[in-house]
Structure formats: C-alpha cells, structure tokens
Amino acid sequence: MIEDFNKQINKYFPTTGDNSELLFLLNKTSQLLCNWYSGSEDIGPLPREKIFEPSLPEENGCELNKLFDDINSLIYSSFNPAHPGSLAHLDPPPLSISIVGDLIAGALNNNLLAEELSPSISLLEERICKWFATKVGFTQNSGGIAASGGTLNNLNALVTARFNSGFASDQNASFIISEDAHVSFKKCATILGLKHENISVIETDNYGRMKVLSLIEEFKKIQNSSNKVFAVVATFGTTIRGAIDPINEISSFCRSKNIWLHIDGSIGGIFTLGKNKIIDNKALKNANSLTINPQKILGITKTSSLLLVNDIENLRDTFQTGLPYVDTSDGVLNRGELGVQGSRPAEIIKLWLGLRVLGSKGINEILDQSILKKSLFAEKLDKSKFDIISGPLHIVSFIPKNLSKEQSDSWTLQTKKLLLKNNFMISRPFYHGRYFLRVVLGNLNTEKTHIIKLIDFLNQQVL
Ligand SMILES: *Cc1c(COP(=O)(O)O)cnc(C)c1O
C-alpha cells in the first residue's frame, strides 16, 4: 500500500533520483514568462480584458495542460511592471537575476528561522546586512535583518525602540512622525497596542519635509504631559513626493534627548549606495535604525527589505526567545530571534545576486537614470499649467493650476483613465486635501521618447 501511494504522489516533488518532471515544469514556465514579456508592449501596463477566472482545487488534482492554461490566463491578466508605460508606483521591472534568486530560494526551501535550517543563507544574510550597515556608516556592532516588506521592518524598528526605551508595556508610550510619513506607522501603532493619538504628527514645510522647530515644540509638549516619547521617525523619501526630512537636525535633536531615531528609508535608503549623494551618509550614521527596500527601485523581486540597526544587540534583546526545538552551534545567533517573523524565506539570495550582477556601477546607473528622468519630466511639464511637487528623489506629483477641488479631482480621474488607454499607467494619490497625479520614474524600460510622449499628452490636457 505504502509503495503504491509513494509512486503516485512523489512525482510532484523533487527526488534524489530522476527529476525530469521538475525540469519540464521549469522549462515550460520559463518559456511562458519570456513570451509574455516579449509580446507585452501592445497589451499595456494593465490588461484590457479580464480573462482570468480563478478555478478552485478539485477532488482529483488538475491535469497539467489545464493548469498551464490557467497559469497562462493568470499571467496575461496581470499588471506588467516591465511595460515602459508602467510609471504609477514604486514597483519597477524585476531584475532578471532576482527572478532566478526567487527560484533558487524556492527550490532550496531553507528557513531563515534557524542556522541549522539555512547554514549558508543565514551567513549570507548576516554578511549582506553588515555590508549595507557599513555602507551607511553604522558602527562595528551594527547589523540587520531582512523582513517581508518595509511595513514589517518599520514595525521591527518601533518594537525595538519601545523595548529599548523601557516603555514596552506603557500605554502612554508615543512616537513622532511627519504628516507625510507612510501609512504603515498607523498599523505599527495598532500592533503595538497604542491609540492613533499616541502618534504625534508633525507638520511638513513647503517641500514636504518635517518642520524641526515644530518637532522640538511637540516634544516639549509631550514631556509636559503623561505621554513618553520612545522614537522619532524621519522619512528618507516620502511616498507622494520623494521629500527627505532634515535628518541631520533631527538626528542631533534625538541624540540630545537620548531618543531612538528610526529612519524610514524604504524609498531613499538605497541611494546611499549611489555616487551622487542625495544625502551625506554622515547624516544617517547616528540613527538607531534604518529601513531600506531594494524592491522599490533596484527591482529586486518582492519582497526585499532590510532593517539595519546601529547595534545588533538591540534586536537580539528585543526578540530573543530561545528556540528550544533547534540545535544551535556555539556563538551562533538564530536569525528568527532578530525580528517579528518566525519562519522566513531566503529573500536575501535575490538581493545578493542582484547587487553582485549590477555592481556599484550598475546600481549607480539605475539611481542616476531615475533622477535624470525625473528632472526631464519636471522640466518639460508646463509650469504655466501645472503645480508640481517633488523632492530630490525620482517621484513627481502634480495638478493643474487654478482649478477648484471638484474640477481638479475630476480632471485627475479622467486624465488617469485616458492615459491608461494610451498605455501609460500613473497613480492618483490623495494628498493634503485633493487628488494629485503622480509618476515614479524608476522603470528602466521607459525611454526619453516615452517621457516626451507622456508630457505632450499631459500638456495638451490643460488648455
Ligand atoms: C512603501 C513604503 C513603506 C512600506 O513598505 P512595504 O514594503 O510596502 O511594506 C514604508 N515607508 C515608505 C516611505 C514607503 O514608501
């Protein structure tokens, strides 16, 4: 009986013997994906017709032919980040070698929870985090952890900051962000068991940067209340306009008050690897923690996010549980004890491969290109017709001048739809009371001619 059972089912798994079935699946899938990319220029960033109908698991398993039909319709009904008109979000085309990295991670199916379940990859993650932390200017004791996205790493940072402050179970604990900080901090508060009123929100200036004087005043106000500040969050690249908070000044203030500084560099952090310094790494080196999301601009496939900390002991102190069911070599830290996630995939492989294929030169070129494209866009958009908001990064938001809120909101809606019909996908964020249109210029497949075409279209939409 057991033997019969094995024979039927084990062809679905890699074996120590013949793996022609796996090879067949990999080849067929590779072909399908490459065909999709090659023929997708006319389909547009988003599919025009929705052909995908999710079938649910059936009693007897599904024939491979039918399964591949479904895979095909799933693929052809997907958003295409590699289309040159995909300019809406921080979701660039995937770097080819990082697709391979995901495949390797899946095939190895190691677990970053524990060293014995991922001996080589745990070491790799430790080294890459340390390498990044050193680039940023963090100390000898620095390190980091990969987590599935910036939201989770912001959470890892705030849990650590709160634990470190001694207010871990204090309901009056509060943290400070700017009004343009990412929505993930609301989730962080909820998960930390804090009311949204425990987030102090500081105004931004005309360039979208936290006002430091308001920060100082707010801090005093909190000190005179029953609340206790455990962290200040500075944003290195805001989501709507790519602004950068005055990190140097915020950092000096935090040091003078002995308050944890977390930098949300989900967008801007990667620019620390570039030659054209968007900000001086010296500004970062006194922060306690920094989130970096290589998924957002280098095109490492999702998810790829690191939390770097100036002192790795802070993560260990906060998250250490002991792993009673795991054997651990002397002096080895199981990386499941450095953050909120337990079992973790080997996301570090695709980041490692991506960084190595690109090298400093390639990384620099991607960053420079995105800034050059942003400059071109901001320069050519007709300033007599549009109000433009943009910081030093590759994001531009804009609205037509002199329209009422109603007129402007309807213009942005109509224009976004029209653009999609013309194979341009841009986004429509709600910011400071009205809808803007936004372009993110991190798509390597977008050429100058595409940008000029988009600009001409936009300039013609306003009389
Ligand atoms: C995208 C983003 C995040 C959240 O990252 P996820 O990977 O989507 O969880 C946090 N902060 C900023 C500034 C972001 O743009």
Side-chain angles (χ1 to χ4, degrees):
M1 278 296 275
I2 295 251
E3 276 124 58
D4 288 349
F5 173 77
N6 274 345
K7 272 188 202 120
Q8 282 178 32
I9 210 83
N10 75 355
K11 69 169 179 182
Y12 296 120
F13 295 84
T15 71
T16 50
D18 175 63
N19 283 300
S20 46
E21 178 84 0
L22 175 61
L23 198 56
F24 167 77
L25 291 175
L26 291 174
N27 284 334
K28 193 164 163 78
T29 307
S30 304
Q31 193 64 59
L32 202 60
L33 287 167
C34 292
N35 288 349
W36 175 61
Y37 277 128
S38 301
S40 64
E41 174 96 40
D42 296 337
I43 301 176
L46 282 176
R48 274 181 247 281
E49 13 163 43
K50 298 205 170 64
I51 50 170
F52 179 62
E53 185 53 52
S55 306
L56 298 173
E58 45 275 274
E59 177 67 24
N60 287 324
C62 184
E63 290 286 321
L64 276 188
N65 281 341
K66 161 85 172 83
L67 207 57
F68 270 98
D69 284 348
D70 285 356
I71 293 172
N72 202 52
S73 88
L74 173 117
I75 292 173
Y76 280 85
S77 301
S78 293
F79 158 60
N80 181 1
H83 191 281
S86 288
L87 295 166
H89 295 283
L90 291 137
D91 291 79
L95 194 65
S96 301
I97 195 74
S98 82
I99 301 175
V100 172
D102 258 339
L103 178 62
I104 296 171
L108 294 177
N109 205 18
N110 278 210
N111 190 341
L112 272 284
L113 171 72
E115 191 234 0
E116 71 173 0
L117 288 168
S118 55
S120 57
I121 311 166
S122 278
L123 178 66
L124 179 65
E125 189 181 89
E126 186 195 332
R127 288 286 165 82
I128 293 287
C129 288
K130 182 87 182 185
W131 177 82
F132 248 110
T134 309
K135 288 270 178 201
V136 166
F138 281 2
T139 59
Q140 272 303 309
N141 252 351
S142 62
I145 185 83
S148 300
T151 301
L152 268 181
N153 272 329
N154 286 338
L155 179 66
N156 276 331
L158 289 189
V159 172
T160 306
R162 190 179 183 193
F163 185 88
N164 190 65
S165 72
F167 305 140
S169 48
D170 195 323
Q171 293 300 301
N172 293 321
S174 68
F175 62 95
I176 301 178
I177 62 176
S178 92
E179 60 179 323
D180 284 5
H182 192 255
V183 291
S184 53
F185 293 103
K186 282 192 194 159
K187 286 190 193 169
C188 290
T190 306
I191 298 164
L192 287 162
L194 299 173
K195 300 199 183 84
H196 285 177
E197 297 87 83
N198 290 39
I199 311 178
S200 287
V201 180
I202 308 295
E203 291 189 314
T204 51
D205 64 14
N206 289 337
Y207 299 94
R209 304 172 300 197
M210 182 190 282
K211 284 185 181 168
V212 179
L213 286 180
S214 307
L215 164 68
I216 296 170
E217 271 169 37
E218 177 68 14
F219 184 81
K220 274 192 204 137
K221 228 168 72 189
I222 302 173
Q223 268 194 322
N224 293 330
S225 73
S226 53
N227 276 11
K228 293 146 188 158
V229 179
F230 66 89
V232 172
V233 176
T235 306
F236 182 178
T238 59
T239 313
I240 311 296
R241 59 194 292 184
I244 302 175
D245 285 340
I247 292 174
N248 252 330
E249 283 120 296
I250 297 172
S251 170
S252 305
F253 175 74
C254 287
R255 258 187 303 160
S256 73
K257 301 294 175 190
N258 200 20
I259 295 287
W260 186 285
L261 171 61
H262 173 61
I263 298 178
D264 182 4
S266 292
I267 300 175
I270 207 81
F271 282 85
T272 52
L273 298 182
K275 283 210 191 79
N276 171 11
K277 290 297 173 207
I278 298 286
I279 62 171
D280 193 338
N281 285 11
K282 281 200 207 97
L284 304 176
K285 77 180 202 329
N286 291 312
N288 297 89
S289 53
L290 168 69
T291 299
I292 292 188
N293 264 15
Q295 71 193 37
K296 283 199 167 167
I297 174 158
L298 290 186
I300 309 299
T301 52
K302 284 174 278 290
T303 49
S304 179
S305 176
L306 301 180
L307 179 70
L308 307 178
V309 288
N310 228 323
D311 186 351
I312 193 73
E313 297 296 327
N314 290 145
L315 290 184
R316 190 206 306 232
D317 292 347
T318 308
F319 294 108
Q320 196 159 40
T321 53
L323 287 173
Y325 39 86
V326 157
D327 267 332
T328 307
S329 340
D330 284 343
V332 164
L333 195 62
N334 286 305
R335 299 185 62 80
E337 293 188 77
L338 292 175
V340 298
Q341 282 178 273
S343 290
R344 279 185 309 130
E347 298 187 21
I348 201 69
I349 295 177
K350 59 196 174 181
L351 177 57
W352 173 58
L353 295 178
L355 293 170
R356 294 200 53 208
V357 158
L358 292 171
S360 307
K361 231 170 136 187
I363 294 168
N364 198 51
E365 203 170 305
I366 291 178
L367 302 177
D368 272 0
Q369 269 204 31
S370 65
I371 299 296
L372 283 173
K373 286 176 188 169
K374 188 283 289 285
S375 305
L376 175 70
F377 184 90
E379 184 197 314
K380 299 274 184 200
L381 196 66
D382 190 338
K383 252 71 89 223
S384 69
K385 296 180 175 178
F386 293 97
D387 285 324
I388 300 174
I389 54 172
S390 179
L393 301 182
H394 62 303
I395 302 171
V396 187
S397 289
F398 54 94
I399 39 171
K401 276 184 185 299
N402 306 324
L403 294 186
S404 70
K405 179 184 152 40
E406 284 69 32
Q407 290 169 325
S408 161
D409 286 354
S410 122
W411 184 89
T412 50
L413 187 65
Q414 293 315 317
T415 305
K416 187 185 168 192
K417 282 186 191 159
L418 268 176
L419 279 170
L420 203 52
K421 285 194 183 134
N422 287 276
N423 281 353
F424 283 108
M425 180 181 173
I426 72 176
S427 49
R428 184 171 174 260
F430 191 73
Y431 180 73
H432 292 209
R434 58 171 78 188
Y435 286 97
F436 282 68
L437 289 184
R438 182 185 71 155
V439 292
V440 179
L441 292 140
N443 184 343
L444 271 295
N445 292 330
T446 311
E447 288 169 20
K448 196 170 168 181
T449 50
H450 297 114
I451 298 175
I452 300 289
K453 198 172 153 204
L454 172 60
I455 296 273
D456 287 345
F457 186 92
L458 287 167
N459 284 339
Q460 279 163 23
Q461 288 303 305
V462 176
L463 296 177

